[in-house]
PDB file of all heavy atoms in Angstrom:
ATOM      1  N   LEU A   1       0.893  -1.209   0.029  1.00 96.00           N
ATOM      2  CA  LEU A   1       0.028  -0.029   0.028  1.00 96.00           C
ATOM      3  C   LEU A   1       0.850   1.237  -0.047  1.00 96.00           C
ATOM      4  O   LEU A   1       0.652   2.204  -0.791  1.00 96.00           O
ATOM      5  CB  LEU A   1      -0.965   0.015   1.250  1.00 96.00           C
ATOM      6  CG  LEU A   1      -1.925   1.205   1.287  1.00 96.00           C
ATOM      7  CD1 LEU A   1      -2.884   1.218   0.080  1.00 96.00           C
ATOM      8  CD2 LEU A   1      -2.633   1.151   2.636  1.00 96.00           C
ATOM      9  N   LYS A   2       1.934   1.296   0.761  1.00 96.00           N
ATOM     10  CA  LYS A   2       2.838   2.438   0.928  1.00 96.00           C
ATOM     11  C   LYS A   2       3.620   2.656  -0.327  1.00 96.00           C
ATOM     12  O   LYS A   2       3.722   3.841  -0.789  1.00 96.00           O
ATOM     13  CB  LYS A   2       3.664   2.241   2.173  1.00 96.00           C
ATOM     14  CG  LYS A   2       4.650   3.462   2.449  1.00 96.00           C
ATOM     15  CD  LYS A   2       5.491   3.237   3.585  1.00 96.00           C
ATOM     16  CE  LYS A   2       6.322   4.411   3.869  1.00 96.00           C
ATOM     17  NZ  LYS A   2       7.231   4.143   5.148  1.00 96.00           N
ATOM     18  N   TRP A   3       4.156   1.536  -0.990  1.00 96.00           N
ATOM     19  CA  TRP A   3       4.951   1.723  -2.081  1.00 96.00           C
ATOM     20  C   TRP A   3       4.235   1.870  -3.440  1.00 96.00           C
ATOM     21  O   TRP A   3       4.783   2.416  -4.396  1.00 96.00           O
ATOM     22  CB  TRP A   3       5.922   0.503  -2.189  1.00 96.00           C
ATOM     23  CG  TRP A   3       6.984   0.559  -1.058  1.00 96.00           C
ATOM     24  CD1 TRP A   3       6.996   1.374   0.139  1.00 96.00           C
ATOM     25  CD2 TRP A   3       8.146  -0.307  -0.943  1.00 96.00           C
ATOM     26  NE1 TRP A   3       8.077   1.059   0.845  1.00 96.00           N
ATOM     27  CE2 TRP A   3       8.822   0.062   0.134  1.00 96.00           C
ATOM     28  CE3 TRP A   3       8.643  -1.328  -1.839  1.00 96.00           C
ATOM     29  CZ2 TRP A   3       9.873  -0.595   0.613  1.00 96.00           C
ATOM     30  CZ3 TRP A   3       9.825  -1.964  -1.388  1.00 96.00           C
ATOM     31  CH2 TRP A   3      10.532  -1.568  -0.227  1.00 96.00           C
ATOM     32  N   THR A   4       3.058   1.292  -3.540  1.00 96.00           N
ATOM     33  CA  THR A   4       2.393   1.331  -4.820  1.00 96.00           C
ATOM     34  C   THR A   4       1.024   2.034  -4.787  1.00 96.00           C
ATOM     35  O   THR A   4       0.402   2.419  -5.819  1.00 96.00           O
ATOM     36  CB  THR A   4       2.086  -0.085  -5.361  1.00 96.00           C
ATOM     37  OG1 THR A   4       1.075  -0.725  -4.476  1.00 96.00           O
ATOM     38  CG2 THR A   4       3.444  -0.893  -5.386  1.00 96.00           C
ATOM     39  N   GLY A   5       0.456   2.209  -3.509  1.00 95.00           N
ATOM     40  CA  GLY A   5      -0.888   2.794  -3.380  1.00 95.00           C
ATOM     41  C   GLY A   5      -2.010   1.916  -3.630  1.00 95.00           C
ATOM     42  O   GLY A   5      -3.196   2.373  -3.621  1.00 95.00           O
ATOM     43  N   ILE A   6      -1.768   0.617  -3.809  1.00 97.00           N
ATOM     44  CA  ILE A   6      -2.832  -0.388  -4.108  1.00 97.00           C
ATOM     45  C   ILE A   6      -3.140  -1.194  -2.787  1.00 97.00           C
ATOM     46  O   ILE A   6      -2.249  -1.873  -2.234  1.00 97.00           O
ATOM     47  CB  ILE A   6      -2.297  -1.407  -5.141  1.00 97.00           C
ATOM     48  CG1 ILE A   6      -2.034  -0.632  -6.459  1.00 97.00           C
ATOM     49  CG2 ILE A   6      -3.421  -2.472  -5.448  1.00 97.00           C
ATOM     50  CD1 ILE A   6      -3.267   0.193  -7.090  1.00 97.00           C
ATOM     51  N   PRO A   7      -4.340  -1.183  -2.436  1.00 96.00           N
ATOM     52  CA  PRO A   7      -4.845  -2.044  -1.269  1.00 96.00           C
ATOM     53  C   PRO A   7      -4.952  -3.492  -1.633  1.00 96.00           C
ATOM     54  O   PRO A   7      -5.316  -3.812  -2.725  1.00 96.00           O
ATOM     55  CB  PRO A   7      -6.249  -1.495  -0.871  1.00 96.00           C
ATOM     56  CG  PRO A   7      -6.745  -0.850  -2.245  1.00 96.00           C
ATOM     57  CD  PRO A   7      -5.556  -0.459  -2.960  1.00 96.00           C
ATOM     58  N   THR A   8      -4.584  -4.347  -0.718  1.00 97.00           N
ATOM     59  CA  THR A   8      -4.634  -5.772  -0.998  1.00 97.00           C
ATOM     60  C   THR A   8      -5.343  -6.649   0.117  1.00 97.00           C
ATOM     61  O   THR A   8      -5.599  -6.133   1.220  1.00 97.00           O
ATOM     62  CB  THR A   8      -3.290  -6.390  -1.057  1.00 97.00           C
ATOM     63  OG1 THR A   8      -2.494  -6.146   0.043  1.00 97.00           O
ATOM     64  CG2 THR A   8      -2.490  -5.722  -2.318  1.00 97.00           C
ATOM     65  N   SER A   9      -5.726  -7.827  -0.261  1.00 97.00           N
ATOM     66  CA  SER A   9      -6.239  -8.815   0.732  1.00 97.00           C
ATOM     67  C   SER A   9      -5.289 -10.025   0.683  1.00 97.00           C
ATOM     68  O   SER A   9      -4.849 -10.470  -0.442  1.00 97.00           O
ATOM     69  CB  SER A   9      -7.633  -9.293   0.355  1.00 97.00           C
ATOM     70  OG  SER A   9      -8.514  -8.225   0.413  1.00 97.00           O
ATOM     71  N   ILE A  10      -4.906 -10.521   1.843  1.00 97.00           N
ATOM     72  CA  ILE A  10      -3.950 -11.643   1.923  1.00 97.00           C
ATOM     73  C   ILE A  10      -4.451 -12.854   2.700  1.00 97.00           C
ATOM     74  O   ILE A  10      -4.929 -12.595   3.793  1.00 97.00           O
ATOM     75  CB  ILE A  10      -2.543 -11.068   2.511  1.00 97.00           C
ATOM     76  CG1 ILE A  10      -2.063  -9.913   1.725  1.00 97.00           C
ATOM     77  CG2 ILE A  10      -1.626 -12.224   2.787  1.00 97.00           C
ATOM     78  CD1 ILE A  10      -0.812  -9.268   2.303  1.00 97.00           C
ATOM     79  N   GLY A  11      -4.404 -13.896   2.104  1.00 97.00           N
ATOM     80  CA  GLY A  11      -4.779 -15.227   2.662  1.00 97.00           C
ATOM     81  C   GLY A  11      -3.595 -16.133   2.782  1.00 97.00           C
ATOM     82  O   GLY A  11      -2.838 -16.276   1.841  1.00 97.00           O
ATOM     83  N   ILE A  12      -3.340 -16.707   3.984  1.00 97.00           N
ATOM     84  CA  ILE A  12      -2.154 -17.545   4.233  1.00 97.00           C
ATOM     85  C   ILE A  12      -2.590 -18.908   4.724  1.00 97.00           C
ATOM     86  O   ILE A  12      -3.392 -19.020   5.644  1.00 97.00           O
ATOM     87  CB  ILE A  12      -1.273 -16.843   5.291  1.00 97.00           C
ATOM     88  CG1 ILE A  12      -0.953 -15.449   4.913  1.00 97.00           C
ATOM     89  CG2 ILE A  12       0.058 -17.666   5.446  1.00 97.00           C
ATOM     90  CD1 ILE A  12      -0.211 -14.631   6.001  1.00 97.00           C
ATOM     91  N   ALA A  13      -2.008 -19.926   4.152  1.00 96.00           N
ATOM     92  CA  ALA A  13      -2.482 -21.259   4.464  1.00 96.00           C
ATOM     93  C   ALA A  13      -1.288 -22.244   4.026  1.00 96.00           C
ATOM     94  O   ALA A  13      -0.340 -21.813   3.442  1.00 96.00           O
ATOM     95  CB  ALA A  13      -3.810 -21.677   3.914  1.00 96.00           C
ATOM     96  N   LYS A  14      -1.594 -23.535   4.285  1.00 95.00           N
ATOM     97  CA  LYS A  14      -0.579 -24.621   3.923  1.00 95.00           C
ATOM     98  C   LYS A  14      -0.632 -24.966   2.403  1.00 95.00           C
ATOM     99  O   LYS A  14       0.353 -25.479   1.961  1.00 95.00           O
ATOM    100  CB  LYS A  14      -0.848 -25.870   4.781  1.00 95.00           C
ATOM    101  CG  LYS A  14      -0.559 -25.751   6.273  1.00 95.00           C
ATOM    102  CD  LYS A  14      -0.798 -27.030   6.913  1.00 95.00           C
ATOM    103  CE  LYS A  14      -0.551 -26.967   8.474  1.00 95.00           C
ATOM    104  NZ  LYS A  14      -0.822 -28.229   9.169  1.00 95.00           N
ATOM    105  N   THR A  15      -1.721 -24.699   1.851  1.00 95.00           N
ATOM    106  CA  THR A  15      -1.850 -25.063   0.386  1.00 95.00           C
ATOM    107  C   THR A  15      -2.384 -23.883  -0.497  1.00 95.00           C
ATOM    108  O   THR A  15      -2.888 -22.911   0.143  1.00 95.00           O
ATOM    109  CB  THR A  15      -2.722 -26.246   0.172  1.00 95.00           C
ATOM    110  OG1 THR A  15      -4.093 -25.858   0.393  1.00 95.00           O
ATOM    111  CG2 THR A  15      -2.372 -27.440   1.032  1.00 95.00           C
ATOM    112  N   LYS A  16      -2.252 -23.931  -1.721  1.00 96.00           N
ATOM    113  CA  LYS A  16      -2.711 -22.878  -2.567  1.00 96.00           C
ATOM    114  C   LYS A  16      -4.243 -22.751  -2.537  1.00 96.00           C
ATOM    115  O   LYS A  16      -4.760 -21.651  -2.532  1.00 96.00           O
ATOM    116  CB  LYS A  16      -2.264 -23.080  -4.068  1.00 96.00           C
ATOM    117  CG  LYS A  16      -0.725 -22.903  -4.116  1.00 96.00           C
ATOM    118  CD  LYS A  16      -0.301 -23.316  -5.579  1.00 96.00           C
ATOM    119  CE  LYS A  16      -0.622 -22.363  -6.622  1.00 96.00           C
ATOM    120  NZ  LYS A  16      -0.054 -22.652  -7.977  1.00 96.00           N
ATOM    121  N   THR A  17      -4.938 -23.936  -2.510  1.00 96.00           N
ATOM    122  CA  THR A  17      -6.360 -23.888  -2.453  1.00 96.00           C
ATOM    123  C   THR A  17      -6.865 -23.289  -1.187  1.00 96.00           C
ATOM    124  O   THR A  17      -7.787 -22.509  -1.107  1.00 96.00           O
ATOM    125  CB  THR A  17      -6.994 -25.287  -2.674  1.00 96.00           C
ATOM    126  OG1 THR A  17      -6.493 -25.801  -3.853  1.00 96.00           O
ATOM    127  CG2 THR A  17      -8.438 -25.293  -2.591  1.00 96.00           C
ATOM    128  N   LEU A  18      -6.131 -23.564   0.025  1.00 97.00           N
ATOM    129  CA  LEU A  18      -6.617 -23.062   1.217  1.00 97.00           C
ATOM    130  C   LEU A  18      -6.317 -21.557   1.366  1.00 97.00           C
ATOM    131  O   LEU A  18      -6.908 -20.823   1.987  1.00 97.00           O
ATOM    132  CB  LEU A  18      -6.053 -23.832   2.433  1.00 97.00           C
ATOM    133  CG  LEU A  18      -6.635 -25.153   2.743  1.00 97.00           C
ATOM    134  CD1 LEU A  18      -5.841 -25.856   3.837  1.00 97.00           C
ATOM    135  CD2 LEU A  18      -8.118 -24.972   3.192  1.00 97.00           C
ATOM    136  N   SER A  19      -5.193 -21.209   0.708  1.00 97.00           N
ATOM    137  CA  SER A  19      -4.766 -19.765   0.707  1.00 97.00           C
ATOM    138  C   SER A  19      -5.870 -18.970  -0.071  1.00 97.00           C
ATOM    139  O   SER A  19      -6.188 -17.814   0.267  1.00 97.00           O
ATOM    140  CB  SER A  19      -3.396 -19.593   0.164  1.00 97.00           C
ATOM    141  OG  SER A  19      -3.298 -19.763  -1.201  1.00 97.00           O
ATOM    142  N   LYS A  20      -6.420 -19.477  -1.134  1.00 96.00           N
ATOM    143  CA  LYS A  20      -7.502 -18.949  -1.891  1.00 96.00           C
ATOM    144  C   LYS A  20      -8.759 -18.780  -0.954  1.00 96.00           C
ATOM    145  O   LYS A  20      -9.393 -17.723  -0.961  1.00 96.00           O
ATOM    146  CB  LYS A  20      -7.877 -19.766  -3.054  1.00 96.00           C
ATOM    147  CG  LYS A  20      -7.015 -19.441  -4.300  1.00 96.00           C
ATOM    148  CD  LYS A  20      -7.705 -18.268  -5.065  1.00 96.00           C
ATOM    149  CE  LYS A  20      -7.118 -18.084  -6.445  1.00 96.00           C
ATOM    150  NZ  LYS A  20      -7.767 -16.963  -7.164  1.00 96.00           N
ATOM    151  N   VAL A  21      -8.999 -19.752  -0.134  1.00 96.00           N
ATOM    152  CA  VAL A  21     -10.131 -19.647   0.846  1.00 96.00           C
ATOM    153  C   VAL A  21      -9.883 -18.567   1.863  1.00 96.00           C
ATOM    154  O   VAL A  21     -10.769 -17.775   2.082  1.00 96.00           O
ATOM    155  CB  VAL A  21     -10.300 -21.084   1.523  1.00 96.00           C
ATOM    156  CG1 VAL A  21     -11.266 -20.923   2.708  1.00 96.00           C
ATOM    157  CG2 VAL A  21     -10.887 -22.149   0.559  1.00 96.00           C
ATOM    158  N   ALA A  22      -8.639 -18.601   2.342  1.00 96.00           N
ATOM    159  CA  ALA A  22      -8.265 -17.561   3.335  1.00 96.00           C
ATOM    160  C   ALA A  22      -8.429 -16.077   2.727  1.00 96.00           C
ATOM    161  O   ALA A  22      -8.872 -15.222   3.371  1.00 96.00           O
ATOM    162  CB  ALA A  22      -6.894 -17.813   3.820  1.00 96.00           C
ATOM    163  N   ASN A  23      -8.057 -15.992   1.441  1.00 96.00           N
ATOM    164  CA  ASN A  23      -8.108 -14.678   0.804  1.00 96.00           C
ATOM    165  C   ASN A  23      -9.580 -14.304   0.586  1.00 96.00           C
ATOM    166  O   ASN A  23      -9.882 -13.080   0.727  1.00 96.00           O
ATOM    167  CB  ASN A  23      -7.429 -14.768  -0.523  1.00 96.00           C
ATOM    168  CG  ASN A  23      -7.285 -13.398  -1.160  1.00 96.00           C
ATOM    169  OD1 ASN A  23      -8.142 -13.011  -1.815  1.00 96.00           O
ATOM    170  ND2 ASN A  23      -6.111 -12.748  -1.076  1.00 96.00           N
ATOM    171  N   HIS A  24     -10.483 -15.190   0.298  1.00 94.00           N
ATOM    172  CA  HIS A  24     -11.843 -15.022   0.083  1.00 94.00           C
ATOM    173  C   HIS A  24     -12.400 -14.446   1.357  1.00 94.00           C
ATOM    174  O   HIS A  24     -13.271 -13.474   1.331  1.00 94.00           O
ATOM    175  CB  HIS A  24     -12.557 -16.354  -0.328  1.00 94.00           C
ATOM    176  CG  HIS A  24     -13.995 -16.149  -0.495  1.00 94.00           C
ATOM    177  ND1 HIS A  24     -14.496 -15.543  -1.512  1.00 94.00           N
ATOM    178  CD2 HIS A  24     -15.116 -16.634   0.296  1.00 94.00           C
ATOM    179  CE1 HIS A  24     -15.928 -15.649  -1.481  1.00 94.00           C
ATOM    180  NE2 HIS A  24     -16.208 -16.267  -0.411  1.00 94.00           N
ATOM    181  N   ILE A  25     -12.054 -14.968   2.496  1.00 94.00           N
ATOM    182  CA  ILE A  25     -12.459 -14.493   3.782  1.00 94.00           C
ATOM    183  C   ILE A  25     -11.883 -13.090   4.136  1.00 94.00           C
ATOM    184  O   ILE A  25     -12.515 -12.174   4.597  1.00 94.00           O
ATOM    185  CB  ILE A  25     -12.091 -15.412   4.869  1.00 94.00           C
ATOM    186  CG1 ILE A  25     -12.814 -16.855   4.647  1.00 94.00           C
ATOM    187  CG2 ILE A  25     -12.571 -14.992   6.368  1.00 94.00           C
ATOM    188  CD1 ILE A  25     -12.267 -17.989   5.514  1.00 94.00           C
ATOM    189  N   ALA A  26     -10.632 -12.923   3.740  1.00 95.00           N
ATOM    190  CA  ALA A  26      -9.869 -11.692   4.021  1.00 95.00           C
ATOM    191  C   ALA A  26     -10.466 -10.475   3.333  1.00 95.00           C
ATOM    192  O   ALA A  26     -10.451  -9.412   3.900  1.00 95.00           O
ATOM    193  CB  ALA A  26      -8.434 -11.843   3.611  1.00 95.00           C
ATOM    194  N   LYS A  27     -11.109 -10.669   2.203  1.00 93.00           N
ATOM    195  CA  LYS A  27     -11.753  -9.543   1.437  1.00 93.00           C
ATOM    196  C   LYS A  27     -12.874  -8.957   2.318  1.00 93.00           C
ATOM    197  O   LYS A  27     -13.220  -7.742   2.043  1.00 93.00           O
ATOM    198  CB  LYS A  27     -12.187 -10.081   0.145  1.00 93.00           C
ATOM    199  CG  LYS A  27     -11.077 -10.270  -0.826  1.00 93.00           C
ATOM    200  CD  LYS A  27     -11.611 -10.674  -2.262  1.00 93.00           C
ATOM    201  CE  LYS A  27     -10.547 -10.894  -3.161  1.00 93.00           C
ATOM    202  NZ  LYS A  27      -9.809  -9.625  -3.474  1.00 93.00           N
ATOM    203  N   LYS A  28     -13.445  -9.725   3.209  1.00 91.00           N
ATOM    204  CA  LYS A  28     -14.593  -9.239   4.001  1.00 91.00           C
ATOM    205  C   LYS A  28     -14.165  -8.731   5.292  1.00 91.00           C
ATOM    206  O   LYS A  28     -15.037  -8.207   6.037  1.00 91.00           O
ATOM    207  CB  LYS A  28     -15.624 -10.308   4.113  1.00 91.00           C
ATOM    208  CG  LYS A  28     -16.128 -10.890   2.772  1.00 91.00           C
ATOM    209  CD  LYS A  28     -16.961 -12.124   2.935  1.00 91.00           C
ATOM    210  CE  LYS A  28     -17.461 -12.743   1.593  1.00 91.00           C
ATOM    211  NZ  LYS A  28     -18.285 -13.935   1.769  1.00 91.00           N
ATOM    212  N   LYS A  29     -12.944  -8.773   5.627  1.00 91.00           N
ATOM    213  CA  LYS A  29     -12.435  -8.295   6.923  1.00 91.00           C
ATOM    214  C   LYS A  29     -11.637  -7.034   6.819  1.00 91.00           C
ATOM    215  O   LYS A  29     -10.997  -6.795   5.826  1.00 91.00           O
ATOM    216  CB  LYS A  29     -11.503  -9.341   7.507  1.00 91.00           C
ATOM    217  CG  LYS A  29     -12.257 -10.639   8.019  1.00 91.00           C
ATOM    218  CD  LYS A  29     -11.296 -11.540   8.803  1.00 91.00           C
ATOM    219  CE  LYS A  29     -12.095 -12.636   9.452  1.00 91.00           C
ATOM    220  NZ  LYS A  29     -12.955 -12.236  10.573  1.00 91.00           N
TER     221      LYS A  29
END
């Protein structure tokens, strides 16, 4: 955000599919 001005959502998990799930939730938080 500081370097580019772009807001992001970040999901972290053990697998790519679970990180997608985490990111899906992060967008609402």
